[in-house]
Structures are given as C-alpha cells and as structure tokens.
Amino acid sequence: MNRIIKKEFLSENVVKLVVEAPLIARSRKAGHFVIVKVGKYGERIPLTIAAADVSAGTITLVIQRIGKSSAKICALNEGEYITDLVGPLGKATHIENVGTVVCAGGGVGTAPMLPIAEAMKKAGNKVITVLAARTKELIILEKEMKSFSDEVVIMTDDGSYGQKGLVTLGVEQIIQREPVNLCVTIGPAIMMKFVSLLTQKYEIPTVASLNTIMVDGTGMCGACRVTVGGKTRFVCVDGPEFDAHQVDFDEMMMRLNAYKEYE
C-alpha cells in the first residue's frame, strides 16, 4: 500500500496526488507509467508518472475523474492509501539533443508531457510547449511547464485564455515561423491524430504517447493492442510512445469507445 502525501485539485475533475513510492521514484524515467488499484476488487488503471522526488521517495500522479474507478482514486485524501501501485512500466522516452522540440499537450495529457519536456530541455533542446484545452479552467500545470520550456503557447477552444483555436493551430504557427526537429504529442486520441496529420504534411518526426485500455500492464492480456505500421503492438510493453505517423488512430479510437456506456 502506498500513502498519499499531498492532494491538490488542478481543476474541478483533475486531481494531483503525491504518493510514497521510493523504489519507483528511484528508477522511473520520462515516459514511464504505473498501474494503480483502489480496493481489493478495484479496476487497474494506468497513470503516467508526472514527476518524481528521489530524496522524498515520492511520485506524482495526475488523475482525471471520468468513471467510477477514477472517481474512487480522486476521492482519496492525504494520509490514505492506494491499495496497489505497480511500476515503473513501459519504455522510457528516447531523449537526445535534436534541436527544437514542440511538445503538444491536450488536457490531462500535460501531466505525462511534463517529465518529457524536462528531459528534452536538460538534453539541450529548445523546447516549445503548446498547451490546449476546451477552456481556461482546464489548462493544467502551466507554471511547471514554463520552468522546462523556452516558450509556452496556450490554446483554448473558447478563447477564454491564450489564443482561441485548437492545438493544431498553435503547432502550425510555430512550424511556419521556425524549423522544428521533433514533435511530441500527448492528449485525447483525436487530438494526437490531427497533430500527427499536420506534422506529417511538414515531414516532421512525431512521437505520440498512447492512452489505450490496459489491464495487466505486461502485454499478456492484449487489451492495449494497437496497429503501428501495419503490425500489432502492445502499448504497455512496446510503448506507450510510438511513431505517430505509423499509428492507426481510427482503430485505436474505436477500441477506446468500446466501453463508454459502462463508464
């Protein structure tokens, strides 16, 4: 069991938890995730590690309240415990100095983007971050992203904060003003699809961190399978990051919607 050290609401339905997990904090890298479970018969939920503090022995998780299981996690308070927490899982982000990196994050996708932006900046890259959400209240971790970015561009659907428009508008404006060597995109599948289509037009290498349904996190159940470059891949062990231009996003979205009515 892992004790919750700190709880903070980033928005009405998004909670940040700082959790005791010294072994995971020590070995985690950008891109890694954990699987959490609340209660003996709780659902297993994958969550990317947004940050880690080795000296304090803690990791930071960001959870969006959507269905029953995520609501149970969000309802936990400081001093209470997550029943099971397993990780770090998945493959770490490939980090190198490539030049200029655009990090396009949508909604809670900003949380897993944070450690990637940090690692890319520390590797010597110029990091330009585009944060997008439907409205101002849903923009999260802006201050934290600014500390690891040379520039942060804010996009909101309703124009309540930053510039009005979708994430693709912000990304394309950057591409048109200066050379971009790599794009990393994390967020809703439909957002990643259109970021990928945009960067493909400009022939910019793009990495997408996929948020498929997961059960065991070890590649045995097959629930997280996706088609990448015409071949079946398992997000939990082969990913979660893939060449976005090779991902079959339409198939992925169809599988993500399979259990919507039960949420």
Side-chain angles (χ1 to χ4, degrees), residues 45-76:
I45 298 179
L47 297 170
T48 304
I49 304 169
D53 186 329
V54 176
S55 59
T58 61
I59 61 172
T60 299
L61 305 175
V62 176
I63 306 99
Q64 183 176 25
R65 185 168 53 204
I66 299 176
K68 182 178 180 180
S69 295
S70 57
K72 286 173 66 177
I73 298 175
C74 291
L76 293 173

Side-chain angles (χ1 to χ4, degrees), residues 76-113:
L76 293 173
N77 294 309
E78 295 176 5
E80 295 184 316
Y81 291 82
I82 292 175
T83 310
D84 294 300
L85 193 155
V86 179
L89 300 170
K91 291 184 176 179
T93 306
H94 177 71
I95 303 294
E96 64 175 323
N97 189 337
V98 297
T100 297
V101 179
V102 170
C103 295
V108 291
T110 303
M113 186 68 79

Side-chain angles (χ1 to χ4, degrees), residues 27 43 89 201:
S27 56
E43 179 185 3
L89 300 170
K201 182 175 71 172

Side-chain angles (χ1 to χ4, degrees), residues 125-140:
N125 293 286
K126 178 180 181 180
V127 176
I128 304 174
T129 298
V130 182
L131 301 182
R134 294 193 307 275
T135 186
K136 179 181 180 178
E137 289 71 28
L138 300 179
I139 295 289
I140 64 171

Side-chain angles (χ1 to χ4, degrees), residues 249-260:
F249 283 104
D250 291 332
E251 178 193 62
M252 175 181 159
M253 287 187 287
M254 181 181 67
R255 290 180 55 78
L256 281 170
N257 290 327
Y259 302 102
K260 283 291 184 183

